[in-house]
Amino acid sequence: MAAATVKPVRLTGPAALRVGFRFARDPLQATRTAFDTWGPFVILAEGLPFSKRARAVTLGIPLVLTAGAAFNAEILTNPETWRGVSVLPGGPKNSAARRMIAGLPRLTGEQHAYYRKLLSPPLRRTSVEALGAAIAQIADSEAASWPIGENLDLWDAVGRIMQRASVAFLFGGDNEQSRVIIQRAGRMMELKWGPGAFALPINLPFTTYGQIVREAEQLERHILQWAAAKRGHPDDRDLASIIINNPDATGRTPDDAALVAHIASLFALSSEGSQSALTWTLLLLTQHPRVMATLRDELLSKLGGASPSLDRAGELPYLDAVVKESMRILPPIPLQIRVAQRDTTIAGYGLPQRTRIMINTFLTNRMPDVFSDGDVFCPERWLNITPNSFEFPVFSAGPHLCPGYWFGTAAVKIALAAILTRFQVDLRRRARVDYRAQPTLRPRQRMDVRLRRVDDNTRAVTPLAGTIRNLVKLPP
Ligand code: HEM
């Protein structure tokens, strides 16, 4: 459907409020219901008086829900008008929290292009390909410490692999300082999107806003100390060293504020997407034993115990299909937000400056013209489809397309292979899995699994309860 032919449905007052409340509780279900009821272009205008995030609406500035490739293309190819927001929270003027949101996602034009080029060497395909065996070593050594037969919190365990891989290969080495920074950056994201985020922005020790302000000060201190040690030691495989030891887009030495902005957002974005992708892939596999068996057969027969690497990707089509299908059905970043920098139009409909618009990857990935039976986990579909990045915006699209695509997918595939060739993975009995969506799709509570040896075929599928079942149609 071409965006230009779609008319918006404009909701105000109680109707807008209802959708707003549902959105605050569960953005994926809320946007799905809105899509089923009103279509792919819904404007919430006037009527949400309760939160900082929705303040734009209170002032008569709309929040727009869209879905589908045509909208994605119109918005994502025009970042000068539709500017990205940071995954980090922001804060009062002149605070560390405010300085941190000025990283790559918020830049546009020449400045953005300059930094994308500068940061590309360690992230490009050839650089990542060379890291296959080293990433596998980290995944293997972490997985080797996982206990057989005891509860293991999958989100945490997978997170350790992804954080270690990121700091080791994108930030100059796995050490205490870089681990502290990546963990604190993750904590900042949690605070931005967690339950307290809807409270008023009052800077007191016990408010979420106050916690954000203080956490950001700590994080800034760690980043600047770490940056001081890297100054004068250029390393073109280390994203932080590249930022620190090169001039900024105007040719000047970057000041502390610029270092903090770039390094904080790079850390925040570098591991949680892969953590989310791998966690949900493993969960989906526990519920789809036929897919799990086919994948394990491919891994054991093609790799014979060796680590998968990207140069052998052609020999592992099912691994590729499983990871794509998992990210389609449970996208690591299910919604992307953009803010209008000027009065503009979408699908020919006028919208004022500061309008917020949602790119909905979750719904786009279920559009029936590309993905039939969108709620069904079916890796085989990828043997016949090649959607473009607007139809499948899991890594976004346009100038802000994720630069970590090669690293992220390699890390997920390699770690998945390391885990599945070592263990059978079951959900803990009577497991309940509820999700939280923003910015990454993650479990609300511990996601306990139990591991068996790979040759132990004794268990049947453990049924799954919780809100995650609203997003996936599981086999009977
Ligand atoms: C499976 C893993 C990953 C997924 C699904 C993913 C997804 C995404 C998405 C959807 C965006 C756009 C967000 C928005 O505009 O709201 C994005 C941006 C970004 N990602 Fe990733 N990402 C992954 C891994 C990585 C890794 C490993 C890095 C390494 C540094 C990374 C770095 C970035 C950066 C710097 C941006 C901002 C780009 C810009 O604004 O130009 N990502 N990612």
Side-chain angles (χ1 to χ4, degrees):
M1 190 190 299
T5 64
V6 179
K7 285 219 164 59
V9 172
R10 193 165 183 278
L11 303 178
T12 56
L17 257 182
R18 253 193 316 276
V19 179
F21 273 120
R22 280 196 213 125
F23 186 84
R25 260 212 341 255
D26 181 345
L28 300 190
Q29 276 302 102
T31 54
R32 167 129 71 177
T33 308
F35 175 75
D36 290 344
T37 315
W38 296 292
F41 189 11
V42 180
I43 300 177
L44 306 182
E46 293 112 30
L48 298 175
F50 59 89
S51 93
K52 183 181 167 218
R53 238 192 275 174
R55 202 192 302 149
V57 181
T58 328
L59 301 174
I61 296 160
L63 174 67
V64 179
L65 311 179
T66 68
F71 284 102
N72 299 343
E74 192 171 345
I75 300 159
L76 292 171
T77 52
N78 194 359
E80 304 273 351
T81 298
W82 292 106
R83 188 164 156 190
V85 299
S86 175
V87 287
L88 295 168
K93 259 191 191 156
N94 300 322
S95 68
R98 177 72 72 94
R99 287 189 280 281
M100 273 171 204
I101 59 170
L104 207 47
R106 290 275 300 270
L107 300 185
T108 54
E110 281 175 20
Q111 232 195 347
H112 178 254
Y114 170 82
Y115 278 107
R116 287 293 298 235
K117 192 160 173 225
L118 193 65
L119 292 168
S120 67
L123 294 169
R124 63 171 69 114
R125 182 180 182 160
T126 45
S127 311
V128 174
E129 270 174 2
L131 293 172
I135 297 174
Q137 232 172 25
I138 287 186
D140 264 337
S141 74
E142 278 292 328
S145 71
W146 293 3
I148 299 255
E150 289 170 31
N151 286 345
L152 174 80
D153 182 350
L154 193 61
W155 175 258
D156 269 7
V158 160
R160 277 193 297 277
I161 299 181
M162 293 309 171
Q163 289 181 2
R164 277 188 63 190
S166 282
V167 294
F169 306 118
L170 299 180
F171 295 101
D174 182 6
N175 55 47
E176 184 57 28
Q177 270 177 312
S178 50
R179 281 198 209 180
V180 167
I181 295 174
I182 204 166
Q183 281 159 9
R184 283 189 177 271
R187 167 109 183 99
M188 292 284 293
M189 282 204 282
E190 257 184 84
L191 285 171
K192 170 163 182 172
W193 303 104
F198 279 90
L200 289 172
I202 300 171
N203 183 5
L204 291 170
F206 51 85
T207 61
T208 302
Y209 192 73
Q211 269 174 290
I212 287 171
V213 170
R214 271 161 275 283
E215 277 284 336
E217 284 163 4
Q218 296 286 331
L219 176 56
E220 181 175 69
R221 196 170 50 76
H222 283 283
I223 290 176
L224 290 176
Q225 267 172 9
W226 191 63
K230 284 177 183 274
R231 193 163 286 128
H233 302 284
D235 174 355
D236 64 3
R237 286 163 306 156
D238 172 352
L239 296 171
S241 169
I242 293 173
I243 295 283
I244 293 159
N245 292 301
N246 279 287
D248 67 14
T250 63
R252 283 193 283 268
T253 304
D255 60 11
D256 283 357
L259 298 186
V260 167
H262 283 294
I263 293 174
S265 62
L266 284 169
F267 266 104
L269 287 158
S270 71
S271 73
E272 228 182 84
S274 322
Q275 179 179 11
S276 173
L278 182 53
T279 303
W280 296 116
T281 304
L282 284 163
L283 179 85
L284 288 165
L285 289 173
T286 66
Q287 302 299 302
H288 295 84
R290 186 195 56 77
V291 176
M292 175 89 99
T294 310
L295 176 57
R296 191 174 275 121
D297 279 355
E298 179 181 89
L299 293 171
L300 292 173
S301 65
K302 300 280 174 50
L303 298 173
S307 312
S309 53
L310 282 180
D311 52 338
R312 298 191 62 181
E315 296 169 50
L316 298 166
Y318 204 67
L319 174 63
D320 188 58
V322 165
V323 171
K324 280 197 182 118
E325 179 65 350
S326 154
M327 290 199 278
R328 180 192 70 77
I329 206 159
L330 299 175
I333 300 185
L335 300 169
Q336 298 167 48
I337 304 168
R338 297 290 182 269
V339 182
Q341 300 305 297
R342 54 185 75 97
D343 293 353
T344 183
T345 59
I346 281 290
Y349 187 85
L351 291 165
Q353 187 180 13
R354 291 168 57 208
T355 295
R356 294 189 158 227
I357 202 158
M358 291 284 158
I359 306 275
N360 199 320
T361 302
F362 168 73
L363 288 176
T364 303
N365 287 358
R366 283 162 166 74
M367 288 293 163
D369 51 339
V370 185
F371 308 103
S372 55
D373 282 332
D375 281 341
V376 175
F377 178 67
C378 175
E380 284 73 12
R381 75 173 77 237
W382 289 94
L383 307 177
N384 304 312
I385 55 169
T386 45
N388 64 37
S389 55
F390 300 111
E391 293 167 325
F392 181 60
V394 163
F395 290 90
S396 198
H400 287 260
L401 177 79
C402 174
Y405 170 83
W406 291 109
F407 189 87
T409 29
V412 171
K413 286 181 184 176
I414 289 168
L416 184 60
I419 294 163
L420 294 187
T421 50
R422 192 181 274 270
F423 303 116
Q424 303 269 9
V425 183
D426 307 306
L427 265 187
R428 186 178 49 83
R429 277 184 212 287
R430 288 190 289 280
R432 180 177 175 89
V433 179
D434 300 312
Y435 63 85
R436 232 174 70 192
Q438 276 196 336
T440 42
L441 191 67
R442 47 154 70 207
R444 259 184 200 279
Q445 60 277 86
R446 279 177 65 99
M447 193 200 280
D448 279 327
V449 293
R450 292 210 167 201
L451 305 172
R452 283 173 290 135
R453 286 162 46 109
V454 70
D455 52 5
D456 172 354
N457 288 312
T458 51
R459 278 275 293 279
V461 173
T462 311
L464 170 64
T467 55
I468 198 71
R469 293 201 62 135
N470 300 334
L471 309 186
V472 191
K473 202 190 277 174
L474 295 175

